[in-house]
Amino acid sequence: MSTTMPHEPRRPAAMPEVPAWRAVLSAFCASLIGIGLARFAYTPLLPALVAQHWFAASSAAYLGAANLAGYLAGALSGRPLSRRVSVVVVLRTMMLIAAVSFFACAFPLDFAWFFVWRFASGLAGGALMVLAAPAVLAHVSAARRGVAGGVIFMGIGAGVAASGTLVPLLLAHGLRETWFGLGAVSCVLVVVAWHGWPREAASNAEPVHHRAAPKVGTLRALYVEYGLNAAGWVPHMIFLVDYIARGRGEGVQVAAAYWVLFGLGATFGPLLAGHLADRAGFRAALRFAFVLEAVAVAFAAAGLGSIWLMVSSVVVGAFVTGTVPLMLGRIGELLPHHPAQQKSAWGTATVAFALCQAAAAYALSFVFQHSGGNYRLLFAIGVIAMVVALVIDLLAALSTLRHSIPEAN
């Protein structure tokens, strides 16, 4: 006979105690604060950090890379942490860390202090990326998961757009006040999301399939492609605003407008990418994304005019977020009957993404420092990364086709 009483709220339920839309809203807030603000708000802040002599240009670039290194650590540690404590506890804690990091960065005590908190904000973002969407989508009906996933990852783009509009307004009151303002917004998001998580993530209770995953070679190629794609975004994510503000001499206000365009693209990218995948399939959509991204980054590498830079900002922004649901969908195509392995593959893909992004951030910061501030060289490296990702995907498909022909015979 069960002794569980209806008024015992602390016992975990088998099903979520909140509506699906509420859980999706919490995951939206998590992606907004953990990546949209904690990572991308730094880009429009970078010129001000240099101009107000908080840090030298080269040091400020390395501090931007610190967030990406933290993201890698968070992507690696997120799932192990969720096995030791409640997924909900990890999600709440990481959102709090991201919020606190903004207040801590308002006090530039020294490079090491700032580095630690930029790393901590990245750690939170990486863990939230690995855990938030799977924890919520497990409680969403299969027919609505595509839309729900698009809404969740729209949080990243909304954070980019918000940072592009909020940061210039806040900077008018001072750099320290800007960090405080971002911290206040983050605290509101933490409160909104706090009670919206499902009580227990279904992923913890899922049986583990020990069968070997099919199409392992294609999956490994996919991880490499995702990593290269992440590396190709780094010039836009870290250097775009600084390039326009200082490299082209157009000032912080104009550069922030480009960042808003980047954010608008990132906001609607997941929904547009999902629509494209519904029509063409996830594999074809990914290839089309690689081509468009390479062309868009090439516009910046060629030093073209303002119109082309606007297009570049919107397109790259759209696929920074839009590639995420495309990658999730492609993994689902390759592992259609392996739900546990899909989550494992998503974790591996996120780690590959974070590793290549962090390595590219440090490498490009080094190149920037030793090339005399050559922004166009950074964008050219981004183009190469995108093209190599496309080539790998095509070669992987060709290899799969060659192996399937003898089997068919």
Side-chain angles (χ1 to χ4, degrees):
M1 180 176 179
S2 174
T3 59
T4 304
M5 299 299 292
H7 63 274
E8 295 179 331
R10 294 187 179 181
R11 290 183 64 84
M15 295 296 292
E17 297 179 6
V18 295
W21 70 265
R22 185 71 176 81
V24 170
L25 175 61
S26 292
F28 170 87
C29 291
S31 64
L32 199 163
I33 182 176
I35 302 175
L37 292 178
R39 178 188 299 176
F40 289 113
Y42 185 80
T43 301
L45 276 169
L46 194 152
L49 290 172
V50 176
Q52 297 189 29
H53 306 291
W54 279 31
F55 299 101
S58 58
S59 297
Y62 279 113
L63 288 169
N67 179 270
L68 302 183
Y71 184 85
L72 172 60
L76 287 168
S77 62
R79 286 175 63 85
L81 280 174
S82 69
R83 297 189 189 103
R84 297 189 177 188
V85 297
S86 167
V87 175
V88 176
V89 170
V90 177
L91 290 168
R92 289 172 174 169
T93 301
M94 292 301 169
M95 290 189 74
L96 282 172
I97 290 173
V100 170
S101 71
F102 287 110
F103 294 104
C105 287
F107 303 94
L109 302 182
D110 56 28
F111 181 88
W113 168 267
F114 221 83
F115 185 96
V116 166
W117 283 106
R118 289 301 299 156
F119 182 92
S121 66
L123 175 76
L128 290 171
M129 175 60 86
V130 169
L131 297 176
V136 169
L137 292 177
H139 299 290
V140 177
S141 64
R144 295 182 177 272
R145 283 178 187 170
V147 174
V151 171
I152 289 170
F153 294 116
M154 279 179 68
I156 302 173
V160 177
S163 67
T165 53
L166 278 176
V167 168
L169 295 174
L170 292 171
L171 281 173
H173 301 283
L175 189 51
R176 177 167 295 173
E177 287 74 14
T178 301
W179 287 108
F180 283 143
L182 292 172
V185 172
S186 299
C187 286
V188 172
L189 294 171
V190 171
V191 171
V192 171
W194 194 265
H195 293 294
W197 299 108
R199 295 304 179 208
E200 290 294 333
S203 58
N204 286 348
E206 275 195 7
V208 177
H209 296 273
H210 295 285
R211 292 179 296 168
K215 304 181 181 178
V216 173
T218 304
L219 273 172
R220 290 174 178 170
L222 197 64
Y223 301 149
V224 175
E225 294 162 31
Y226 198 34
L228 286 169
N229 204 44
W233 296 334
V234 169
H236 273 70
M237 290 193 300
I238 294 182
F239 297 98
L240 175 65
V241 172
D242 197 46
Y243 168 57
I244 294 167
R246 297 194 306 122
R248 292 171 62 93
E250 298 183 22
V252 175
Q253 295 294 330
V254 173
Y258 282 87
W259 193 243
V260 171
L261 291 175
F262 184 95
L264 289 174
T267 301
F268 297 103
L271 293 179
L272 295 175
H275 181 69
L276 174 63
D278 286 340
R279 288 180 169 273
F282 287 100
R283 180 173 62 180
L286 265 177
R287 290 175 181 172
F288 185 63
F290 292 154
V291 172
L292 281 184
E293 289 175 280
V295 172
V297 178
F299 290 159
L304 300 182
S306 298
I307 297 297
W308 296 107
L309 273 179
M310 290 179 185
V311 173
S312 178
S313 300
V314 172
V315 172
V316 175
F319 284 108
V320 162
T321 52
T323 303
V324 179
L326 291 182
M327 181 62 57
L328 276 169
R330 181 62 178 141
I331 289 173
E333 282 183 343
L334 294 173
L335 302 168
H337 306 299
H338 300 73
Q341 291 184 15
Q342 285 181 25
K343 292 181 179 179
S344 177
W346 171 237
T348 303
T350 303
V351 170
F353 177 99
L355 179 62
C356 289
Q357 194 172 66
Y362 280 102
L364 291 178
S365 296
F366 178 85
V367 171
F368 180 73
Q369 182 178 2
H370 290 81
S371 65
N374 189 335
Y375 295 95
R376 291 173 60 182
L377 175 61
L378 305 182
F379 292 115
I381 294 172
V383 174
I384 294 171
M386 299 292 187
V387 172
V388 173
L390 176 62
V391 171
I392 289 174
D393 189 78
L394 295 174
L395 290 177
L398 182 61
S399 177
T400 301
L401 180 62
R402 287 177 175 173
H403 282 87
S404 64
I405 292 176
E407 293 177 5
N409 293 332

